[in-house]
């Protein structure tokens, strides 16, 4: 049941502006308004603030984690990113889909994407790649496209090979290109500690790909978005909290276990010990990051190396640890 991974949080409508927001009910059935971090109840949702970029073909912005109760999203989708233009999906459409089972929701989503697909005669994209330079050619081709091009039909050609793309070449391209980009040997992703099939972002990706690591992540976002739009499969599975970020679902302390089980267990033991003993652990607001075999100290808050962890600020320390591992 995918509802169980929202950990008690429910999305509801905010009557003041008709936006969706997350709420959590306490044991008495009232909205939980506790603002201080709690490992069992607190959650965070990614917030993406879009900014004016230098390239009209793609959007840019600032990503951050905010308390789940402060996260809000529009209850409609329009043809223009600023909320104006033709309404594509309205509040009533989302509410109707929300009450359906997973398979019916999937059918509704696919039908909506089909209606947004640009007719072949109005424009389509031909993507030519060399098999021996598949990833670099694909990045160059996909990142040169405008945002409206993502809704057009893509046809693929492997240069030097005879073949007409009737769907098989597209299927092969999505499989091969995602296999390569998720390959740990390329330095962008790492296998999960608890499950080798669940990939997590490599904190040292900038070192592994110093010139273009962010371009590859943006490229993957476009590929996965297109795969959803066209109902294609990709060869890669990410850790659960990555999917929560994409969906705008609450990320909780329990999600940390799937990212780094050993680190999660260490923090969990601190929460279970005698509070008076916390100060004797000699902890501060820093964490250790392994960058290509070299240990690097990272401050979780400004001047964190000079802030000791005490009983009083333990919730803030756990909160900082969670935010760092889940986004920073």
């Amino acid at each position: 049941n995918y509802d169980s991974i929202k950990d008690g949080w429910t999305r509801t409508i905010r009557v003041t502006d008709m936006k969706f927001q997350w709420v959590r009910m306490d044991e008495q059935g009232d909205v939980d308004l506790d603002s201080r971090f709690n490992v069992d109840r607190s959650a965070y949702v990614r917030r993406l603030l879009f900014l004016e970029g230098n390239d009209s073909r793609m959007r840019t912005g600032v990503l951050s984690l905010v308390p789940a109760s402060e996260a809000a999203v529009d209850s409609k989708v329009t043809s223009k990113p600023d909320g104006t233009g033709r309404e594509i999906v309205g509040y009533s459409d989302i509410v109707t889909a929300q009450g359906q089972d997973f398979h019916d929701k999937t059918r509704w989503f696919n039908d909506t994407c089909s209606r947004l697909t640009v007719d072949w005669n109005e424009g389509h994209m031909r993507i030519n790649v060399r098999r021996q330079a598949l990833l670099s050619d694909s990045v160059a081709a996909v990142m040169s496209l405008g945002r409206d091009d993502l809704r057009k039909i893509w046809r693929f050609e492997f240069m030097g090979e005879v073949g007409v793309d009737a769907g098989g070449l597209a299927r092969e391209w999505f499989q091969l290109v995602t296999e390569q980009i998720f390959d740990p040997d390329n330095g962008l992703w790492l296998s999960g500690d608890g499950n080798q099939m669940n990939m997590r972002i490599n904190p040292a990706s900038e070192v592994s790909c110093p010139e273009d690591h962010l371009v590859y992540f943006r490229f993957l976002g476009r590929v996965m978005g297109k795969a959803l739009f066209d109902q294609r499969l990709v060869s890669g599975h990410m850790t659960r909290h990555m999917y929560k970020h994409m969906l705008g679902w609450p990320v909780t302390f329990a999600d940390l276990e799937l990212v780094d089980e050993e680190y999660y267990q260490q923090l969990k033991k601190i929460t279970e010990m005698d509070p008076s003993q916390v100060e004797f652990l000699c902890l501060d607001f820093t964490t250790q990051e392994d960058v290509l075999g070299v240990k690097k100290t990272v401050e979780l808050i400004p001047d964190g190396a000079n802030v000791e962890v005490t009983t009083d600020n333990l919730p803030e320390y756990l909160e900082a640890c969670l935010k760092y591992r889940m986004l920073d």
Side-chain angles (χ1 to χ4, degrees):
N1 185 349
Y2 69 99
D3 282 325
S4 64
I5 67 173
K6 290 184 285 190
D7 302 287
W9 288 86
T10 302
R11 181 172 276 172
T12 186
I13 195 72
R14 192 166 62 190
V15 296
T16 55
D17 55 9
M18 296 300 289
K19 290 190 175 184
F20 286 112
Q21 70 172 144
W22 291 99
V23 297
R24 192 181 194 282
M25 312 306 288
D26 59 22
E27 292 79 3
Q28 287 72 42
D30 299 320
V31 176
D32 190 346
L33 299 176
D34 189 2
S35 60
R36 199 172 191 199
F37 182 77
N38 181 286
V39 294
D40 296 318
R41 299 193 303 272
S42 297
Y44 293 87
V45 173
R46 62 102 181 102
R47 171 182 287 170
L48 181 56
L49 176 63
F50 288 110
L51 303 173
E52 191 70 28
N54 298 323
D55 191 336
S56 61
R57 293 173 299 178
M58 59 190 73
R59 303 175 88 174
T60 185
V62 177
L63 192 64
S64 61
L65 279 181
V66 299
S69 58
E70 297 179 11
V73 295
D74 290 328
S75 59
K76 63 179 180 180
V77 179
T78 62
S79 58
K80 294 184 178 180
D82 61 0
T84 63
R86 177 174 57 91
E87 184 176 282
I88 297 171
V89 176
Y91 166 71
S92 60
D93 299 317
I94 297 176
V95 170
T96 300
Q98 185 173 301
Q100 298 174 340
D101 62 30
F102 180 75
H103 295 291
D104 288 338
K105 287 178 179 177
T106 302
R107 187 182 303 111
W108 171 81
F109 176 80
N110 291 335
D111 289 344
T112 301
C113 290
S114 295
R115 293 198 304 272
L116 294 174
T117 301
V118 176
D119 185 84
W120 173 271
N121 295 322
E122 295 180 13
H124 51 275
M125 306 307 301
R126 183 167 299 279
I127 298 178
N128 300 322
V129 295
R130 296 166 295 171
R131 194 175 289 273
Q132 67 272 23
L134 175 65
L135 188 56
S136 59
D137 283 0
S138 297
V139 171
V142 171
M143 297 309 294
S144 69
L145 302 179
R147 289 164 56 194
D148 289 340
D149 295 331
L150 302 182
R151 296 191 293 112
K152 295 177 181 178
I153 298 172
W154 292 4
R155 286 293 180 261
F156 294 88
E157 179 181 333
F158 288 95
M159 298 170 64
E161 300 180 16
V162 178
V164 177
D165 186 5
L169 293 181
R171 187 162 49 248
E172 182 182 13
W173 181 84
F174 276 101
Q175 176 184 345
L176 294 177
V177 81
T178 50
E179 278 180 357
Q180 289 195 24
I181 205 165
F182 277 115
D183 187 344
D185 289 340
N186 286 328
L188 297 170
W189 295 83
L190 297 174
S191 298
D193 292 333
N195 187 337
Q196 295 295 309
M197 296 297 293
N198 286 344
M199 308 302 292
R200 59 188 177 91
I201 292 177
N202 182 3
S205 61
E206 184 177 8
V207 178
S208 302
C209 306
E211 297 180 358
D212 48 16
H213 73 122
L214 294 181
V215 174
Y216 281 111
F217 286 118
R218 186 182 284 269
F219 164 75
L220 179 60
R222 287 190 158 202
V223 170
M224 295 189 69
K226 184 60 173 173
L228 281 170
F229 194 80
D230 289 355
Q231 302 179 47
R232 298 292 183 182
L233 296 177
V234 298
S235 297
H237 300 276
M238 296 179 291
T239 54
R240 187 172 69 187
H241 80 281
M242 295 295 296
Y243 295 108
K244 284 189 170 186
H245 284 331
M246 287 192 288
L247 291 168
W249 279 13
V251 172
T252 68
F253 184 75
D255 289 314
L256 186 57
E257 184 175 13
L258 297 178
V259 179
D260 190 332
E261 184 176 5
E262 181 180 358
Y263 187 63
Y264 168 79
Q265 293 296 339
Q266 291 174 353
L267 295 178
K268 190 172 177 59
K269 286 180 180 178
I270 298 175
T271 67
E272 298 170 345
M273 66 187 303
D274 184 342
S276 64
Q277 301 300 307
V278 171
E279 297 181 22
F280 295 105
L281 295 175
C282 300
L283 296 172
D284 54 34
F285 277 69
T286 64
T287 188
Q288 295 292 315
E289 193 68 72
D290 190 321
V291 180
L292 300 180
V294 178
K295 292 294 184 181
K296 175 185 175 183
T297 299
V298 178
E299 292 189 329
L300 299 172
I301 62 173
D303 199 31
N306 295 316
V307 180
E308 295 183 358
V309 177
T310 65
T311 304
D312 292 335
N313 64 18
L314 178 60
E316 285 70 34
Y317 171 72
L318 296 171
E319 177 184 37
C321 291
L322 176 65
K323 284 185 173 183
Y324 177 75
R325 293 286 176 164
M326 292 303 184
L327 185 65
D328 297 343

